[in-house]
Amino acid sequence: MSQQASKKQKADAGESSGRIAHKKVKDAEAVLLKVKALAVKLKQTQEVERTLTSLNLPYNCREVVDKNSEAVLDEIEAAMFEIAASILKGEGFSFDVPSRAKGNQVYVPELDRIVLRDSVSKRPFASTQTCRKAAITARILGLVHQLCTKRIHVTKRDLFYTDVKLFEDQGQSDAILDDLACMLGCTRSSLHVVASEKGVVVGRLSFREDGDLIDCQRMGVGGKAIPPNVDKVDSIQSDALFILLVEKDAAFMRLAEDRFYSTYPCIIVTAKGQPDVATRLFLKKLKTTLRIPVLALVDSDPYGLKILSVYMKGSMNMSYDSSNLTTPDIKWLGVRPSDLDRFNIPQQCRLPMTEEDIKTGKKLLEEDFVKANPLWVSELELMLKTREKAEIQALSSFGFQYLSQVYLPLKLQEGDWIEALCAAQQRPDVGEIGNAGERLGSRGHKALGA
C-alpha cells in the first residue's frame, strides 16, 4: 500500500471516528439481525476437526485424552511396577516427565492452538536437584490412586493439605499434578482432582448436573457456578443466539441484573478474570454442543487480549491439553482500543499504560496467532501508539446501564466484532458480517487498509 493511500485511509477514519456513539439503538429484532446471520452461517458450516496425527508434523507432539478411573489406575500401577523393578535391580528409580518448559511449546497454525512437543526429562530420586520433586511425584501418584479407587473427587487445595510439610506450597503440588496428567496421558480432571469453583454462567441455558436440572435463567444476579467437574454436565438445552464471554465479574453482574439475556437471547459466561480450567472446558462444551457464536467482552488493555488468547489458543501451562480446553472461533466484540474514540470515552476514564503494559503489548505483537490477525495487530498498534487503556467499567461514565442498554446493543446491531483467523488462513474474511472497520470507520481498522 502506498503512503498516500495509507494517509487517506487514516484521514477517513479520523473523520468518521466517534460516529457510532451517536447512532440509535433499534428494536431487539433489528439489533439481532447480524447475530442471527452469523449463527445461521455457523450452523451451516460443516466443522472438520483436525488432529495432530493428521498433520504429519516434522516433530512429535504430546496430547492427552479423557480416561476413566480404570484406565488411570492401570497407568499408575504400570508406572509403579516399573519403579519397583528398577529398585529391585539396585538402580534406584526415576520418573520420565514430559517437559512443559516454554521452549517446548509451539503454536500450530493448522490447529490454531498451542501444543506441547514430545520431549521428556528425567526426574531421578538419587539426584540432590530432583529428589524432592521425585518424592512429591510419588506421593501424588499414591493420592491419585486412592481417589480413582474410591471414585471420589477433591480440590487441588484438599490435595495440598494431605501433606503440607512435603509440598510446602500449593503451587508445587499443582505443578506436579499437571506433570502427572501429562505423564499418564490423561486430562487433569481424569485424575479426580479439580479446581475450586470460580466461573459463573447465567442466561438462556438449562442442563443437568449429575442428574439435577439447572435452569440458568432462575439463578439471580450471581448466576450459576460452573461445576468443577464438567464431565457431569449433560442434556444441554438453549434457545440462545450467541454466547457472551465476559472478562470481569462486575460487567457480568450488571448484565445479569439488567437481564440482558431476556432482550437479546444469549448465555453469559465469566471466569472472573484469568480463565480457569472448568470455565474453559464448559465454554468449549457449550460451543460444540449448541454451535452458536461466541462474542468476547474484555478490557481494552494487553491483559484483556491475553485472557482472550488463553480461551482461544490455550495457555503455556496447559498446552498438553489444548485440544480439550480451547475454543478457537471467538469474536472480539469489545472493548477495543478503537472504541475509546468511537464511543467518545472521556479522557478521565482512560488510563495511561504502564511500562509493563507496553512490554506485554509488544510481546503480544510478536505472537504468531496475533500476527495472523491483521485487525488484532491494528488494534494493538493503536493501543501502543496512544498509550491508553480502559476497563469495561469506563462505559459507566455514561450511565450505569450504558453497557447493557447502549454499548452492547450498538455493537451487535452494527456487527462490530473482529473475526479470528489462524496463521494457516490467507487473508481476513470479514465479509458482510462483522465488517465493522469499513462500515463504522474504525480508526484502527481503516489504518489496516484491506
Side-chain angles (χ1 to χ4, degrees):
M1 182 192 297
S2 68
Q3 287 186 348
Q4 187 176 1
S6 179
K7 287 179 180 178
K8 184 179 183 302
Q9 286 197 334
K10 288 179 181 179
D12 291 342
E15 289 174 8
S16 57
S17 66
R19 285 181 185 172
I20 190 170
H22 302 294
K23 288 180 178 283
K24 299 292 184 183
V25 177
K26 300 177 182 177
D27 61 88
E29 190 68 26
V31 166
L32 294 169
L33 280 176
K34 289 186 172 66
V35 181
K36 286 181 179 178
L38 180 64
V40 169
K41 179 183 175 183
L42 187 62
K43 287 183 183 294
Q44 290 176 344
T45 303
Q46 187 172 2
E47 291 186 356
V48 180
E49 188 170 348
R50 306 187 72 178
T51 61
L52 279 169
T53 52
S54 67
L55 294 179
N56 295 318
L57 295 173
Y59 45 82
N60 293 326
C61 293
R62 179 178 289 265
E63 281 197 315
V64 300
V65 295
D66 277 317
K67 293 184 178 181
N68 58 31
S69 299
E70 288 79 7
V72 175
L73 286 170
D74 287 343
E75 293 284 354
I76 294 174
E77 288 166 8
M80 298 314 293
F81 278 133
E82 283 186 18
I83 288 172
S86 179
I87 293 172
L88 289 173
K89 288 179 183 178
E91 297 173 357
F93 73 91
S94 174
F95 292 103
D96 291 334
V97 181
S99 172
R100 295 188 295 115
K102 186 174 182 180
N104 206 34
Q105 323 274 347
V106 60
Y107 171 72
V108 179
E110 293 83 359
L111 299 178
D112 195 22
R113 55 183 170 84
I114 299 168
V115 299
L116 183 67
R117 287 188 180 183
D118 194 7
S119 175
V120 175
S121 61
K122 295 284 185 181
R123 187 174 289 173
F125 181 71
S127 168
T128 55
Q129 291 183 327
T130 58
C131 65
R132 189 167 169 279
K133 274 194 172 183
I136 295 175
T137 304
R139 177 71 170 125
I140 294 180
L141 266 176
L143 292 170
V144 170
H145 190 277
Q146 287 182 39
L147 294 173
C148 291
T149 302
K150 294 179 178 179
R151 306 295 194 271
I152 59 174
H153 291 77
V154 298
T155 65
K156 292 191 293 182
R157 194 67 175 167
D158 289 327
L159 192 77
F160 165 68
Y161 272 108
T162 58
D163 203 332
V164 177
K165 283 189 176 181
L166 176 62
F167 300 149
E168 290 185 356
D169 179 78
Q170 188 182 332
Q172 296 188 41
S173 57
D174 288 354
I176 300 294
L177 192 65
D178 284 326
D179 287 343
L180 284 183
C182 200
M183 189 174 83
L184 300 174
C186 64
T187 60
R188 199 172 71 187
S189 57
S190 299
L191 302 179
H192 286 228
V193 182
V194 297
S196 299
E197 293 179 349
K198 183 186 176 192
V200 286
V201 59
V202 74
R204 311 281 275 262
L205 173 70
S206 67
F207 58 86
R208 288 194 177 275
E209 181 186 350
D210 203 18
D212 297 327
L213 181 62
I214 307 296
D215 184 352
C216 294
Q217 293 189 81
R218 300 174 181 272
M219 292 294 158
V221 177
K224 166 71 175 76
I226 293 173
N229 191 353
V230 179
D231 293 338
K232 293 187 177 182
V233 172
D234 56 22
S235 304
I236 295 173
Q237 300 289 331
S238 176
D239 64 346
L241 290 174
F242 63 99
I243 299 167
L244 184 61
L245 180 62
V246 182
E247 176 188 350
K248 295 284 190 68
D249 186 35
F252 177 90
M253 290 180 64
R254 175 77 276 127
L255 295 169
E257 188 173 42
D258 291 348
R259 294 193 175 271
F260 180 81
Y261 53 83
S262 295
T263 308
Y264 307 104
C266 66
I267 301 165
I268 308 173
V269 176
T270 184
K272 303 178 183 178
Q274 191 66 29
D276 60 307
V277 170
T279 303
R280 290 162 65 188
L281 283 170
F282 188 73
L283 179 67
K284 174 74 177 273
K285 194 162 193 169
L286 288 183
K287 176 71 164 51
T288 305
T289 305
L290 301 175
R291 298 197 65 190
I292 55 178
V294 182
L295 307 178
L297 177 68
V298 298
D299 286 342
S300 177
D301 62 21
Y303 299 102
L305 197 52
K306 276 190 75 172
I307 285 172
L308 179 54
S309 73
V310 170
Y311 282 112
M312 296 175 67
K313 320 295 176 187
S315 63
M316 293 291 184
N317 190 46
M318 300 287 290
S319 57
Y320 65 88
D321 196 15
S322 62
S323 61
N324 297 308
L325 294 174
T326 54
T327 307
D329 187 23
I330 298 179
K331 278 69 176 169
W332 186 11
L333 187 65
V335 174
R336 301 201 301 270
S338 57
D339 287 344
L340 304 191
D341 283 344
R342 293 164 57 225
F343 282 87
N344 299 322
I345 302 298
Q347 201 63 39
Q348 64 183 8
C349 297
R350 306 183 191 194
L351 306 173
M353 292 177 69
T354 64
E355 289 302 318
E356 189 63 30
D357 291 334
I358 294 168
K359 184 180 177 181
T360 303
K362 288 179 178 178
K363 279 186 178 179
L364 276 171
L365 282 172
E366 295 171 2
E367 298 284 356
D368 290 334
F369 62 83
V370 173
K371 291 178 183 177
N373 288 271
L375 299 181
W376 283 30
V377 172
S378 180
E379 293 283 358
L380 262 172
E381 287 178 340
L382 177 63
M383 186 191 300
L384 292 172
K385 181 182 177 182
T386 60
R387 297 198 167 208
E388 291 178 338
K389 62 180 181 179
E391 297 182 8
I392 301 169
Q393 285 71 37
L395 297 166
S396 297
S397 60
F398 301 117
F400 293 124
Q401 294 179 302
Y402 185 83
L403 173 66
S404 60
Q405 296 182 356
V406 180
Y407 179 79
L408 286 177
L410 277 178
K411 283 280 198 174
L412 299 175
Q413 179 177 298
E414 301 299 322
D416 184 19
W417 52 76
I418 290 180
E419 301 271 359
L421 301 175
C422 67
Q425 292 173 278
Q426 296 291 321
R427 59 181 176 79
D429 184 20
V430 180
E432 295 190 4
I433 301 172
N435 179 358
E438 293 297 324
R439 289 195 303 273
L440 301 178
S442 160
R443 183 170 70 184
H445 295 177
K446 281 286 190 178
L448 174 65

Coordinates of all heavy atoms in Angstrom, one line a residue, residues 47-79:
E47 N -18.1 -28.5 10.4 CA -16.9 -28.5 11.1 C -16.0 -29.7 10.8 O -16.5 -30.8 10.9 CB -17.2 -28.4 12.6 CG -17.8 -27.1 13.0 CD -17.9 -27.0 14.6 OE1 -17.6 -28.0 15.2 OE2 -18.4 -25.9 15.0
V48 N -14.8 -29.4 10.4 CA -13.8 -30.5 10.2 C -12.7 -30.4 11.3 O -11.9 -29.4 11.2 CB -13.2 -30.4 8.8 CG1 -12.2 -31.6 8.6 CG2 -14.3 -30.5 7.7
E49 N -12.7 -31.3 12.2 CA -11.8 -31.2 13.3 C -10.5 -31.9 12.9 O -10.4 -33.1 12.6 CB -12.3 -31.9 14.6 CG -11.4 -31.6 15.8 CD -12.1 -32.1 17.1 OE1 -13.3 -32.4 17.1 OE2 -11.4 -32.2 18.1
R50 N -9.4 -31.1 12.9 CA -8.1 -31.6 12.5 C -7.3 -32.0 13.8 O -7.5 -31.4 14.8 CB -7.3 -30.5 11.7 CG -8.0 -30.0 10.5 CD -7.1 -29.1 9.7 NE -6.1 -29.8 9.0 CZ -5.2 -29.3 8.2 NH1 -5.2 -28.0 7.9 NH2 -4.3 -30.1 7.5
T51 N -6.6 -33.0 13.6 CA -5.8 -33.5 14.8 C -4.3 -33.5 14.5 O -3.9 -33.3 13.3 CB -6.2 -35.0 15.1 OG1 -5.9 -35.8 14.0 CG2 -7.7 -35.1 15.4
L52 N -3.5 -33.6 15.5 CA -2.1 -33.6 15.3 C -1.6 -34.8 14.4 O -0.7 -34.6 13.6 CB -1.4 -33.7 16.7 CG -1.3 -32.5 17.5 CD1 -0.8 -32.8 18.9 CD2 -0.3 -31.5 16.8
T53 N -2.3 -36.0 14.6 CA -1.8 -37.1 13.8 C -2.1 -36.9 12.3 O -1.4 -37.5 11.5 CB -2.6 -38.4 14.3 OG1 -4.0 -38.1 14.3 CG2 -2.1 -38.8 15.7
S54 N -3.1 -36.1 12.0 CA -3.4 -35.9 10.6 C -2.5 -34.9 9.9 O -2.6 -34.8 8.7 CB -4.9 -35.5 10.4 OG -5.1 -34.2 11.0
L55 N -1.7 -34.2 10.6 CA -0.9 -33.1 10.1 C 0.5 -33.6 9.6 O 1.1 -32.9 8.8 CB -0.7 -32.0 11.1 CG -2.0 -31.3 11.5 CD1 -1.6 -30.2 12.5 CD2 -2.6 -30.6 10.3
N56 N 1.0 -34.7 10.1 CA 2.3 -35.2 9.7 C 3.4 -34.1 10.0 O 4.2 -33.7 9.1 CB 2.4 -35.6 8.2 CG 1.5 -36.8 8.0 OD1 1.4 -37.7 8.8 ND2 0.8 -36.8 6.9
L57 N 3.4 -33.6 11.2 CA 4.4 -32.6 11.5 C 5.8 -33.1 11.6 O 5.9 -34.3 11.9 CB 4.0 -31.9 12.9 CG 2.7 -31.2 13.0 CD1 2.3 -30.8 14.4 CD2 2.7 -29.9 12.1
P58 N 6.8 -32.3 11.4 CA 8.2 -32.8 11.4 C 8.7 -33.1 12.8 O 9.8 -33.5 13.0 CB 9.0 -31.6 10.8 CG 8.1 -30.4 11.1 CD 6.7 -30.9 11.0
Y59 N 7.9 -32.9 13.8 CA 8.3 -33.2 15.2 C 7.1 -33.9 15.9 O 5.9 -33.7 15.5 CB 8.7 -31.9 15.9 CG 7.7 -30.8 15.7 CD1 6.6 -30.7 16.4 CD2 8.0 -29.8 14.8 CE1 5.7 -29.6 16.3 CE2 7.2 -28.7 14.6 CZ 6.0 -28.6 15.3 OH 5.2 -27.6 15.1
N60 N 7.3 -34.6 16.9 CA 6.3 -35.3 17.7 C 5.7 -34.4 18.7 O 6.5 -33.6 19.3 CB 6.8 -36.6 18.3 CG 7.2 -37.6 17.3 OD1 6.6 -37.8 16.3 ND2 8.2 -38.4 17.6
C61 N 4.4 -34.5 19.0 CA 3.8 -33.7 20.0 C 3.0 -34.6 21.0 O 2.7 -35.8 20.6 CB 2.8 -32.7 19.4 SG 3.6 -31.4 18.4
R62 N 2.8 -34.1 22.1 CA 2.1 -34.9 23.2 C 0.8 -34.3 23.5 O 0.7 -33.1 23.8 CB 3.0 -34.9 24.4 CG 2.4 -35.7 25.6 CD 3.3 -35.7 26.8 NE 4.5 -36.6 26.5 CZ 4.6 -37.8 26.9 NH1 3.6 -38.4 27.5 NH2 5.7 -38.5 26.6
E63 N -0.3 -35.1 23.4 CA -1.6 -34.6 23.8 C -2.2 -35.7 24.7 O -1.9 -36.8 24.7 CB -2.5 -34.4 22.6 CG -2.2 -33.1 21.9 CD -3.3 -32.7 21.0 OE1 -3.8 -33.5 20.2 OE2 -3.7 -31.5 21.0
V64 N -3.2 -35.2 25.5 CA -3.9 -36.1 26.5 C -5.3 -36.3 26.1 O -5.9 -35.6 25.3 CB -3.8 -35.6 27.9 CG1 -2.3 -35.4 28.3 CG2 -4.5 -34.2 28.0
V65 N -5.9 -37.3 26.7 CA -7.3 -37.6 26.4 C -8.0 -37.9 27.7 O -7.3 -38.2 28.8 CB -7.5 -38.9 25.5 CG1 -6.9 -38.6 24.1 CG2 -6.8 -40.1 26.1
D66 N -9.3 -37.8 27.7 CA -10.1 -38.2 28.9 C -10.0 -39.7 29.1 O -10.1 -40.5 28.2 CB -11.6 -37.8 28.8 CG -11.8 -36.4 29.1 OD1 -11.3 -35.9 30.1 OD2 -12.6 -35.7 28.4
K67 N -9.7 -40.1 30.4 CA -9.6 -41.5 30.7 C -10.5 -41.8 31.9 O -10.6 -41.0 32.8 CB -8.2 -42.0 31.0 CG -7.2 -41.9 29.8 CD -5.9 -42.4 30.1 CE -5.0 -42.4 28.9 NZ -3.6 -42.9 29.1
N68 N -11.1 -43.0 31.9 CA -11.9 -43.4 33.1 C -11.0 -43.8 34.2 O -9.8 -44.0 34.1 CB -12.9 -44.5 32.7 CG -12.3 -45.7 32.2 OD1 -11.1 -46.1 32.5 ND2 -13.0 -46.4 31.3
S69 N -11.6 -44.1 35.4 CA -10.8 -44.4 36.6 C -10.0 -45.7 36.4 O -8.8 -45.7 36.8 CB -11.7 -44.6 37.8 OG -12.5 -43.4 38.0
E70 N -10.5 -46.7 35.7 CA -9.8 -47.9 35.5 C -8.5 -47.7 34.6 O -7.5 -48.3 34.9 CB -10.7 -49.0 34.8 CG -11.8 -49.6 35.7 CD -13.0 -48.7 35.8 OE1 -13.0 -47.6 35.1 OE2 -13.9 -49.0 36.6
A71 N -8.7 -46.9 33.6 CA -7.5 -46.6 32.7 C -6.4 -45.9 33.4 O -5.2 -46.2 33.3 CB -8.0 -45.8 31.5
V72 N -6.8 -44.9 34.3 CA -5.8 -44.1 35.1 C -5.1 -45.0 36.1 O -3.9 -45.0 36.2 CB -6.5 -42.9 35.8 CG1 -5.5 -42.2 36.7 CG2 -7.1 -42.0 34.8
L73 N -5.9 -45.9 36.7 CA -5.3 -46.9 37.7 C -4.3 -47.8 37.0 O -3.2 -48.1 37.5 CB -6.4 -47.7 38.3 CG -7.3 -47.0 39.4 CD1 -8.5 -47.8 39.8 CD2 -6.5 -46.6 40.6
D74 N -4.6 -48.2 35.8 CA -3.7 -49.1 35.0 C -2.4 -48.3 34.7 O -1.3 -48.9 34.9 CB -4.4 -49.5 33.7 CG -5.5 -50.5 33.9 OD1 -5.5 -51.2 35.0 OD2 -6.3 -50.7 33.0
E75 N -2.5 -47.1 34.4 CA -1.3 -46.3 34.0 C -0.5 -46.1 35.3 O 0.8 -46.2 35.2 CB -1.7 -44.9 33.5 CG -2.4 -44.9 32.1 CD -1.5 -45.2 31.0 OE1 -0.2 -45.2 31.2 OE2 -1.9 -45.4 29.8
I76 N -1.1 -45.8 36.4 CA -0.4 -45.5 37.7 C 0.3 -46.8 38.1 O 1.5 -46.8 38.5 CB -1.3 -45.0 38.8 CG1 -1.8 -43.6 38.4 CG2 -0.6 -45.0 40.1 CD1 -2.9 -43.1 39.4
E77 N -0.4 -47.9 38.1 CA 0.2 -49.2 38.5 C 1.3 -49.7 37.6 O 2.3 -50.2 38.1 CB -1.0 -50.3 38.6 CG -1.9 -50.0 39.8 CD -3.2 -50.8 39.7 OE1 -3.3 -51.7 38.8 OE2 -4.1 -50.5 40.6
A78 N 1.2 -49.4 36.3 CA 2.3 -49.8 35.4 C 3.5 -49.0 35.7 O 4.6 -49.5 35.7 CB 1.8 -49.5 34.0
A79 N 3.3 -47.7 36.0 CA 4.4 -46.8 36.4 C 5.1 -47.3 37.7 O 6.3 -47.3 37.8 CB 4.0 -45.4 36.5

